[in-house]
Amino acid sequence: MFEIDNLTLVLLVALLALALYARAQKTPLVHPLLLGKQAEPGPVRREGETAVYRAFATGHGTPLQVRPANTVKTVNDVVASKPGVERVILDTNLTDDGLAEITRLLPLGLRALFPTPGPIVTLLPPSPSTSLPLLLLSLSASPGRPLVVLPAPVFLTAALTSAAHTRPAVVVVHASIAEDVVEQIWEDCGADTGVLLVGDGARTLGALVDAARARGMRAHWWDDLWDAAGAPDTAEPEQAGYADTHSFFYSGSPESPVVVKLTHLNFTAGMAGLLSLFPADKRPSSAQKDVVASAVSLATPLGMTIALASVWSGAGLRLIGPAAATWPTDEDGDEGAAETAELEALVAANQLKPTILFLSAAHHAALLARLHAALLVTPLAALAVRHRLPDLRAGHVARGGLLDSLVFKKVRAGALGGLGEGVRAVIVVGDAPAPEALARSHVLLSLPLTRLHPSAFSAGPVFVSHFNDVQSPVVPDLFRRVAAAAAPSDEKTALAARAARVHCGPPASNIEVVLRAPSAGDAHHRGRIWVRGPTVGLRAGADEGDGWVDIGEDAEVQTNGTFVVG
């Protein structure tokens, strides 16, 4: 008979206990050493500025990535024809070969209706229902006809008379403001600039079109492009090169607008920088039937890059914005009401729910508010939260397990039509969320929260946090409706100070950052942000001979190479 002595039995029990303990411990999603040094400073530092910072994974002395794949040399290469593959792009069902045919015909129709080459001004509301023409124009941009993208009607006069580019050949405008726009075109450009109407399928503006034509202007509807492109004598347009100008983006104030010129190379590099924020197995793809939902307007360089990267990756694309074809205003409304309604629209239609979210801080706050309200009425919520917090301190968060199924899965499925349940990646674009919101997001969504800081001067991210970084400077109190409601004034001040300390991550994978006129005396050097790299465009009228561009914001760099903006 086989016998086990007492020492062997004790060792077996100890080994089993250690195995069970190790299994119960959660390993960090990313090794702490990788979060301890996220950016690489250059070996040389000039007087009056910090060292040049690059992402640690990129390092110095290596070329920066300029395209997501060797086959994507221009924006025109983003669309790859794949017969039979259908997806939803801006609320429209399109196959890949159908999209490729549309982008082939569009420049032919434009040249037939508006023969004079020149920039194409776009003035379209940032609505999901009106943004598809802008995306199609971007995908089919040809030499000699760069886009001039306006975020609001107040920039029209500046665009028509700007010295940053030649006089526009055509203005693509939504029907809701067409009458005023036609008058403005006539006043500033006469009959040299035409008009192309979007959003008037019933052709109710026939009188306006006839009046414009009587003045000698070329005026057409969007649908006229397809008939014109099919004419037998229409020749194929010239192919764009990577150094050709793709578009001009307007921002700032109408009185003194900032005009940024971006080439095809800027956008392909922007796509590479954007996709690099995802781990290889988390990137948008058709294989996972991903749908990307973005709250970043296509009238911004980053918003356009998100759309282009989604199309190239084979994912569906939806916009988070007002349902009506209107421009945003400064009117005050119920806090978070508009953002909540826009998120609800993502699940109201009979379409696939998004799996990857690019949210503004306001949309993220609206999502958390709904999830938090659902958590407060869910049984076992306190137990589930207490169980999750130690995992977060260990750098781990994941879906699955008994308590996640009993509590957090129900919370995600019961808020906003289950929007949070199918999501596998959330990226907050713009201002970094407060520490309390950051920690709450990790708990309620059971996902890391990526922070991305954009700039009007770059087609890609400027700063982006590590995809699996779940660090947070505060422990969330999920059973208070307002983070600092009951705190005394000194604690409120401390909370506000900590809120400003949430970083936006290190520089993106293909951009360089330097802070000029930095403060001295502590480890956190603060200064004006200057950037350089293949994603960075050229500001019209500015002398950027050395490649460095001032993006007009301040930041401080922390000891681990992450940047706090603002």
Side-chain angles (χ1 to χ4, degrees), residues 44 124 195 341 404:
V44 177
L124 300 172
V195 62
D404 188 80

Side-chain angles (χ1 to χ4, degrees), residues 85-99 102 132 316-318 350-352:
V85 179
E86 185 177 69
R87 48 185 162 149
V88 176
I89 298 178
L90 298 180
D91 299 339
T92 304
N93 292 322
L94 288 170
T95 61
D96 281 5
D97 51 353
L99 181 60
I102 290 173
L132 182 59
L317 174 65
R318 303 184 65 185
N350 295 324
Q351 296 181 1
L352 293 175

Side-chain angles (χ1 to χ4, degrees), residues 13-104:
V13 171
L15 183 62
L16 178 62
L18 286 173
L20 292 175
Y21 176 79
R23 183 176 179 84
Q25 294 300 306
K26 302 297 184 181
T27 58
L29 297 179
V30 56
H31 197 283
L33 290 178
L34 294 179
L35 299 180
K37 187 174 184 180
Q38 301 187 44
E40 179 74 22
V44 177
R45 175 180 175 180
R46 297 180 179 178
E47 185 177 356
E49 62 184 40
T50 64
V52 176
Y53 283 85
R54 282 190 177 191
F56 183 75
T58 303
H60 289 270
T62 58
L64 299 176
Q65 191 176 8
V66 296
R67 54 181 62 96
N70 288 334
T71 57
V72 185
K73 293 180 172 58
T74 69
V75 174
N76 304 146
D77 299 326
V78 167
V79 180
S81 180
K82 300 176 183 177
V85 179
E86 185 177 69
R87 48 185 162 149
V88 176
I89 298 178
L90 298 180
D91 299 339
T92 304
N93 292 322
L94 288 170
T95 61
D96 281 5
D97 51 353
L99 181 60
E101 181 64 9
I102 290 173
T103 55
R104 185 188 71 84

Side-chain angles (χ1 to χ4, degrees), residues 101-266:
E101 181 64 9
I102 290 173
T103 55
R104 185 188 71 84
L105 293 175
L106 186 53
L108 301 179
L110 283 170
R111 191 166 62 173
L113 297 180
F114 306 95
T116 304
I120 301 171
V121 174
T122 63
L123 190 52
L124 300 172
S127 168
S129 61
T130 59
S131 296
L132 182 59
L134 177 54
L135 176 59
L136 295 176
L137 288 167
S138 176
L139 289 167
S140 59
S142 57
R145 296 178 183 266
L147 299 183
V148 177
V149 185
L150 306 184
V154 292
F155 290 93
L156 179 60
T157 297
L160 294 175
T161 59
S162 176
H165 46 76
T166 59
R167 176 171 289 183
V170 58
V171 176
V172 181
V173 62
H174 193 263
S176 59
I177 59 170
E179 186 172 351
D180 293 336
V181 168
V182 169
E183 290 301 320
Q184 191 66 53
I185 293 172
W186 178 254
E187 179 179 334
D188 292 331
C189 303
D192 295 336
T193 301
V195 62
L196 187 63
L197 300 181
V198 173
D200 187 30
R203 305 204 173 201
T204 58
L205 298 178
L208 177 65
V209 170
D210 291 339
R213 289 173 177 172
R215 290 174 166 179
M217 298 175 63
R218 293 181 179 270
H220 299 277
W221 285 273
W222 179 261
D223 292 341
D224 294 340
L225 291 170
W226 318 122
D227 294 333
D233 57 343
T234 304
E236 292 292 332
E238 180 185 355
Q239 293 298 313
Y242 68 87
D244 288 336
T245 301
H246 176 276
S247 49
F248 296 87
F249 281 81
Y250 278 65
S251 60
S253 66
E255 296 78 15
S256 181
V258 175
V259 185
V260 180
K261 181 178 74 172
L262 295 166
T263 64
H264 285 261
L265 178 68
N266 293 141

Side-chain angles (χ1 to χ4, degrees), residues 164-518:
H165 46 76
T166 59
R167 176 171 289 183
V170 58
V171 176
V172 181
V173 62
H174 193 263
S176 59
I177 59 170
E179 186 172 351
D180 293 336
V181 168
V182 169
E183 290 301 320
Q184 191 66 53
I185 293 172
W186 178 254
E187 179 179 334
D188 292 331
C189 303
D192 295 336
T193 301
V195 62
L196 187 63
L197 300 181
V198 173
D200 187 30
R203 305 204 173 201
T204 58
L205 298 178
L208 177 65
V209 170
D210 291 339
R213 289 173 177 172
R215 290 174 166 179
M217 298 175 63
R218 293 181 179 270
H220 299 277
W221 285 273
W222 179 261
D223 292 341
D224 294 340
L225 291 170
W226 318 122
D227 294 333
D233 57 343
T234 304
E236 292 292 332
E238 180 185 355
Q239 293 298 313
Y242 68 87
D244 288 336
T245 301
H246 176 276
S247 49
F248 296 87
F249 281 81
Y250 278 65
S251 60
S253 66
E255 296 78 15
S256 181
V258 175
V259 185
V260 180
K261 181 178 74 172
L262 295 166
T263 64
H264 285 261
L265 178 68
N266 293 141
F267 277 107
T268 59
M271 292 168 58
L274 181 75
L275 292 174
S276 69
L277 73 87
F278 296 93
D281 61 335
K282 301 290 186 181
R283 290 187 177 183
S285 70
S286 58
Q288 301 190 64
K289 297 183 179 180
D290 280 320
V291 177
V292 176
S294 172
V296 188
S297 171
L298 294 189
T300 63
L302 181 68
M304 183 61 72
T305 297
I306 292 173
L308 295 175
S310 301
V311 171
W312 180 75
S313 300
L317 174 65
R318 303 184 65 185
L319 282 186
I320 304 172
T326 58
W327 279 269
T329 63
D330 295 330
E331 295 180 3
D332 294 330
D334 294 337
E335 184 177 359
E339 290 79 11
T340 301
E342 291 166 5
L343 292 174
E344 289 175 337
L346 291 176
V347 295
N350 295 324
Q351 296 181 1
L352 293 175
K353 294 179 182 178
T355 58
I356 298 175
L357 296 176
F358 286 87
L359 302 177
S360 66
H363 286 94
H364 180 247
L367 175 60
L368 291 187
R370 285 298 188 92
L371 291 171
H372 183 222
L375 178 74
L376 294 178
V377 296
T378 302
L380 302 178
L383 175 63
V385 170
R386 284 197 298 269
H387 183 267
R388 172 143 296 175
L389 291 180
D391 293 347
L392 284 176
R393 294 190 187 99
H396 179 90
V397 65
R399 296 183 176 183
L402 180 61
L403 285 177
D404 188 80
S405 299
L406 291 176
V407 178
F408 296 114
K409 185 174 182 179
K410 290 183 179 180
V411 169
R412 295 189 298 266
L416 290 173
L419 174 63
E421 177 58 22
V423 170
R424 62 181 186 85
V426 180
I427 299 96
V428 173
V429 180
D431 296 333
E436 183 79 10
L438 180 65
R440 286 190 181 197
S441 182
H442 294 152
V443 173
L444 295 172
L445 287 169
S446 303
L447 291 171
L449 180 68
T450 305
R451 284 93 69 197
L452 184 157
H453 191 79
S455 169
F457 296 92
S458 175
V462 175
F463 303 108
V464 61
S465 64
H466 194 287
F467 187 85
N468 289 319
D469 184 0
V470 295
Q471 297 179 112
S472 176
V474 300
V475 177
D477 186 347
L478 289 164
F479 298 97
R480 282 191 298 168
R481 293 190 177 274
V482 180
S489 58
D490 56 337
E491 286 190 291
K492 288 183 179 181
T493 302
L495 280 173
R498 287 200 298 271
R501 305 301 302 177
V502 174
H503 66 78
C504 296
S509 64
N510 56 355
I511 199 169
E512 296 178 321
V513 175
V514 68
L515 301 183
R516 294 186 172 171

Side-chain angles (χ1 to χ4, degrees), residues 473-565:
V474 300
V475 177
D477 186 347
L478 289 164
F479 298 97
R480 282 191 298 168
R481 293 190 177 274
V482 180
S489 58
D490 56 337
E491 286 190 291
K492 288 183 179 181
T493 302
L495 280 173
R498 287 200 298 271
R501 305 301 302 177
V502 174
H503 66 78
C504 296
S509 64
N510 56 355
I511 199 169
E512 296 178 321
V513 175
V514 68
L515 301 183
R516 294 186 172 171
S519 60
D522 63 34
H524 302 272
H525 298 298
R526 183 175 182 82
R528 179 60 66 95
I529 303 172
W530 290 68
V531 296
R532 181 176 68 181
T535 67
V536 180
L538 178 65
R539 179 171 181 171
D543 181 14
E544 311 289 354
D546 59 355
W548 288 104
V549 174
D550 179 5
I551 68 171
E553 296 180 278
D554 293 334
E556 64 180 45
V557 58
Q558 303 187 108
T559 53
N560 66 344
T562 57
F563 286 74
V564 180
V565 180

